[in-house]
C-alpha cells in the first residue's frame, strides 16, 4: 500500500510538472486557430512550427482541445462513487466540540465519526486511504469553542483550511420542537457567489462532500459567500398547498467559514505545495474579494 501511494503521488506530480508545457502548446495552437479564422498571416514566431501544430489541431476534439490540470485529476473520479467521509477532532475534545461533530455527522451523508484518541494524523490518513475514504474532516477548537475546520481530499489532495465563526448547534437551541428532527436524505446544494477562480475552486471542494440527491428530496444545504465569509445554513421545506405555499424551516446547525489556505497535498504532507494562502495585507484591502463579488 505504501509503495502504491508513493507511485501514485509521483505520477501525479509528474503530470502536474507537464502543465506549463501543455499550456504553452495550447496558446500556440490558439494563436494559429485565430489567425486562420480571421484570415490573418501566421505570427512570425510560429511559422517554423505551423505544419506540426496544424496537424495536431486537425486531430483534436472537444475533450482534448483544452489542456487538463492537476485540479481536474483530483476530482476526476468523484462522480463514480458517493463520498465517504471520516470526521474527527483535535485531541482531548471538549463537550461542545464533541456535540458539534456529532451534528456534522448528520450534515454530511455517508460520514463516520471517530474518536481521535492518541492517533497521529499520518496514521488516520493511511487508514482512510486503505478503506477507500474520499475525505477527512478535522475540527479544531479554542477553549471549548469550535474555531477551525480542515477538509482533506483523498488520495492526492487538496487540503482546505477554514476558520469557524459564529457556531450555533442544534444542542444550543432550547426549543427542540421548533427545529424538529434532522433528516438523513441526500440534500440539494445551493452554492452562491463563488464567481472568481479561487471561489470556483472552493465551491468544488465543498460540493464534492455531498452525493447526488434525489429530485424530490426536501432537504437543502446552502453555502453563501459574502465578503469572503461563507455562511452555512441547513433547511427543510414543506408544501402545504400549491407551488407558492412553501414553508422553509431552518434545522441547524449554522456557522460561518473563512478560507485561509489551500494546499495541493493531503493533511499529513507538511511539504505539500501551497496553492493559496491569505496574507496580512489582504485583511486591510476592503474592496478586494477573493471568492466572489
Amino acid at each position: 500500500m505504501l509503495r502504491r501511494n508513493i507511485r501514485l503521488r509521483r505520477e501525479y506530480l509528474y503530470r502536474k510538472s507537464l502543465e506549463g508545457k501543455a499550456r504553452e502548446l495550447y496558446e500556440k495552437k490558439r494563436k494559429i486557430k485565430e489567425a486562420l479564422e480571421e484570415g490573418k498571416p501566421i505570427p512570425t514566431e510560429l511559422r517554423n512550427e505551423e505544419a506540426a501544430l496544424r496537424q495536431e489541431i486537425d486531430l483534436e476534439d472537444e475533450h482534448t482541445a483544452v489542456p487538463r490540470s492537476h485540479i481536474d485529476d483530483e476530482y476526476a473520479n468523484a462522480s463514480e462513487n458517493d463520498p465517504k467521509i471520516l470526521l474527527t477532532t483535535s485531541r482531548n475534545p471538549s463537550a461542545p466540540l464533541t456535540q458539534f461533530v456529532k451534528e456534522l455527522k448528520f450534515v454530511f451523508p455517508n460520514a463516520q465519526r471517530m474518536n481521535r484518541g492518541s492517533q497521529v494524523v499520518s496514521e488516520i490518513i493511511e487508514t482512510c486511504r486503505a478503506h477507500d475514504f474520499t475525505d477527512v474532516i478535522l475540527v479544531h477548537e479554542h477553549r471549548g469553542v469550535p474555531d477551525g475546520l480542515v477538509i482533506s481530499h483523498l488520495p492526492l489532495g487538496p487540503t482546505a483550511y477554514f476558520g469557524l465563526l459564529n457556531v450555533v448547534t442544534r444542542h444550543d437551541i432550547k426549543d427542540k420542537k421548533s427545529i424538529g428532527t434532522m433528516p438523513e436524505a441526500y440534500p440539494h446544494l445551493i452554492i452562491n457567489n463563488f464567481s472568481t477562480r479561487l471561489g470556483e475552486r472552493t465551491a468544488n471542494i465543498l460540493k464534492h462532500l455531498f452525493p447526488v440527491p434525489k429530485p424530490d428530496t426536501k432537504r437543502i444545504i446552502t453555502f453563501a459567500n459574502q465578503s469572503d465569509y461563507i455562511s452555512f445554513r441547513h433547511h427543510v421545506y414543506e408544501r402545504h398547498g400549491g407551488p407558492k405555499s412553501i414553508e422553509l424551516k431552518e434545522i441547524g446547525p449554522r456557522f460561518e467559514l473563512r478560507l485561509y489556505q489551500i494546499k495541493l497535498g493531503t493533511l499529513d504532507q507538511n511539504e505539500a505545495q501551497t496553492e493559496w494562502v491569505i496574507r496580512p495585507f489582504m485583511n486591510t484591502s476592503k474592496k478586494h474579494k477573493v471568492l466572489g463579488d
Side-chain angles (χ1 to χ4, degrees), residues 232-244:
F232 172 90
R233 298 293 183 267
H234 187 193
H235 295 86
V236 293
Y237 71 89
E238 295 178 0
R239 291 180 179 174
H240 296 290
K244 293 185 179 179

Side-chain angles (χ1 to χ4, degrees), residues 28-276:
K28 289 180 180 179
K29 288 189 279 189
R30 184 182 62 80
K31 288 178 182 179
I32 290 178
K33 274 185 183 179
E34 288 179 357
L36 293 173
E37 288 171 0
E38 297 173 5
K40 295 180 179 179
I42 301 297
T44 309
E45 68 272 13
L46 298 178
R47 286 178 183 173
N48 294 335
E49 305 174 73
E50 179 192 356
L53 291 173
R54 287 183 69 169
Q55 188 176 2
E56 288 187 23
I57 291 171
D58 293 338
L59 296 173
E60 286 177 345
D61 58 16
E62 59 182 6
H63 299 292
T64 57
V66 179
R68 289 172 59 87
S69 72
H70 64 281
I71 295 175
D72 299 321
D73 292 335
E74 288 166 351
Y75 291 100
N77 302 320
S79 59
E80 295 178 3
N81 298 302
D82 287 345
K84 185 179 178 184
I85 301 169
L86 180 77
L87 277 164
T88 189
T89 63
S90 51
R91 288 198 178 95
N92 301 319
S94 63
L97 182 63
T98 304
Q99 185 63 41
F100 178 57
V101 173
K102 284 180 180 178
E103 295 185 11
L104 286 182
K105 179 182 178 296
F106 293 102
V107 168
F108 299 107
N110 303 327
Q112 298 180 26
R113 184 175 65 89
M114 184 192 77
N115 293 326
R116 175 72 178 272
S118 60
Q119 284 192 308
V120 296
V121 170
S122 58
E123 292 176 356
I124 295 172
I125 297 296
E126 281 302 315
T127 304
C128 290
R129 282 201 186 102
H131 291 84
D132 297 326
F133 280 84
T134 60
D135 295 272
V136 175
I137 298 179
L138 182 65
V139 188
H140 294 280
E141 66 177 340
H142 178 68
R143 294 187 177 181
V145 179
D147 71 337
L149 189 78
V150 184
I151 301 172
S152 184
H153 183 67
L154 301 178
L156 301 174
T159 300
Y161 297 79
F162 296 92
L164 265 177
L165 305 102
N166 306 326
V167 176
V168 179
T169 63
R170 288 166 54 87
H171 185 73
D172 295 333
I173 300 171
K174 304 301 180 185
D175 187 7
K176 296 295 188 290
K177 291 183 179 179
S178 63
I179 57 174
T181 57
M182 187 183 292
E184 295 188 30
Y186 294 172
H188 290 296
L189 293 182
I190 298 175
I191 297 178
N192 183 49
N193 195 21
F194 291 84
S195 54
T196 65
R197 187 172 180 181
L198 180 64
E200 291 174 0
R201 173 72 155 147
T202 306
N204 204 38
I205 292 169
L206 293 172
K207 76 179 182 181
H208 280 106
L209 297 173
F210 299 89
V212 178
K214 293 182 178 179
D216 58 346
T217 185
K218 296 182 177 180
R219 185 182 175 198
I220 301 169
I221 283 179
T222 305
F223 292 98
N225 170 51
Q226 186 174 7
S227 300
D228 294 339
Y229 287 88
I230 305 168
S231 297
F232 172 90
R233 298 293 183 267
H234 187 193
H235 295 86
V236 293
Y237 71 89
E238 295 178 0
R239 291 180 179 174
H240 296 290
K244 293 185 179 179
S245 60
I246 293 178
E247 180 184 348
L248 195 65
K249 182 170 70 172
E250 186 175 356
I251 57 175
R254 63 156 62 182
F255 50 85
E256 267 70 49
L257 295 168
R258 178 79 189 274
L259 177 70
Y260 66 88
Q261 190 177 38
I262 297 179
K263 284 192 170 185
L264 291 177
T266 50
L267 187 59
D268 59 330
Q269 295 169 340
N270 297 325
E271 72 283 357
Q273 182 181 345
T274 300
E275 179 180 343
W276 180 86

